């Protein structure tokens, strides 16, 4: 999707290893979000950021940490991956919060923990 | 608990036919409701956004309706095309902050030639 890139697109990792997913935006948007999507569930918020070094937890934050040292990059880290973290991870960006603002999603990272 | 339910879970229609997808929610308070289209292997893309005061919103062949009293929304697709094959996700927000979005599980639509 234009303006937002996730990397890697696919990753297979072993249980217990650390994993970092990257979200990069070129829109200079203030808000960035990490979601996970699992079959039968709606997207669930992991963490979000409302500015450089300003982050907060979402609904399913256990086992995840994030960092935002620059406006354009939002990193999601799984400190010690578990099989329950096998999922598709989506990053989203928004210029501002509110009904008048759209939220643009990246193309996702498919993570498999074996 | 704030929840969004969608029906049907999946739907198969023939190209050129119309269809309607349903969204029921228990989110309270209510700020806005969004419909997204998600192609396989891609992220969701916004179709419509409706606030409390809006009853209907169109985007090309997509028309969303909202009944805030019954807490129901529908997405009507007219003259379906093969490219409409995707998952359609209903998202409800209780306020103006994206971190509080409540996502439905989606309806998987398949349009066959």
């Amino acid at each position: 999707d234009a303006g937002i890139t996730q990397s890697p697109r696919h990753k297979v990792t072993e249980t217990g290893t650390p994993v970092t997913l990257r979200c990069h935006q070129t829109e200079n948007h203030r808000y960035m979000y990490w979601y996970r999507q699992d079959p039968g569930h709606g997207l669930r918020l992991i963490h979000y950021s409302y500015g450089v070094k300003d982050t907060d937890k979402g609904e399913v934050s256990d086992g995840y940490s994030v960092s935002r040292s620059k406006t354009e990059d939002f990193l999601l880290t799984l400190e010690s991956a578990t099989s329950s973290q096998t999922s598709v991870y989506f990053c989203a960006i928004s210029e501002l919060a509110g009904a008048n603002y759209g939220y643009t999603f990246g193309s996702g990272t498919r993570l498999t923990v074996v | 608990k704030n929840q969004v339910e969608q029906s049907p879970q999946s739907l198969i229609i023939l190209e050129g036919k119309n269809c309607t997808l349903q969204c029921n929610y228990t989110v309270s308070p209510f700020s806005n409701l969004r419909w997204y289209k998600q192609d396989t292997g891609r992220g969701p893309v916004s179709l419509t956004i409706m606030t409390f005061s809006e009853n209907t919103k169109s985007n090309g062949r997509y028309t969303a309706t909202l009944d805030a009293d019954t807490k129901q929304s529908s997405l009507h697709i007219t003259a379906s095309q093969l490219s409409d094959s995707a998952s359609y996700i209903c998202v409800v927000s209780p306020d103006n902050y994206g971190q509080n979005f409540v996502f439905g599980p989606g309806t998987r639509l398949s349009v066959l030639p």
Side-chain angles (χ1 to χ4, degrees), chain B residues 73-94:
Chain B
S73 177
S74 64
L75 180 69
H76 186 75
I77 304 174
T78 303
S80 61
Q81 301 176 359
L82 298 179
S83 60
D84 292 331
S85 293
S87 289
Y88 292 84
I89 301 172
C90 176
V91 185
V92 181
S93 180

Side-chain angles (χ1 to χ4, degrees), chain A residues 60-72:
Chain A
V60 291
S61 60
D62 287 348
Y64 302 94
S65 63
V66 291
S67 66
R68 191 171 179 195
S69 59
K70 299 182 292 184
T71 298
E72 58 266 34

Side-chain angles (χ1 to χ4, degrees), chain B residues 21-77:
Chain B
L21 314 180
Q22 299 290 342
C23 172
N24 295 334
Y25 60 93
T26 59
V27 178
S28 182
F30 174 86
S31 173
N32 61 85
L33 185 147
R34 303 166 188 250
W35 281 95
Y36 282 87
K37 178 186 179 187
Q38 185 177 19
D39 293 318
T40 300
R42 307 288 292 177
V45 174
S46 181
L47 293 176
T48 63
I49 304 173
M50 289 184 292
T51 60
F52 184 87
S53 60
E54 296 174 295
N55 295 321
T56 185
K57 182 79 69 84
S58 291
N59 179 357
R61 295 179 296 101
Y62 301 100
T63 299
T65 64
L66 172 64
D67 186 335
D69 291 332
T70 62
K71 298 188 176 181
Q72 295 180 327
S73 177
S74 64
L75 180 69
H76 186 75
I77 304 174

Side-chain angles (χ1 to χ4, degrees), chain A residues 9 37 45 90 97-98 101 103 106, chain B residues 34 38 41 43 96 98-99 103-104:
Chain A
R9 288 297 313 274
Q37 186 175 40
L45 182 66
F90 287 98
Y101 296 94
Y103 291 75
Chain B
R34 303 166 188 250
Q38 185 177 19
N96 281 326
Q99 57 266 30
F103 288 80

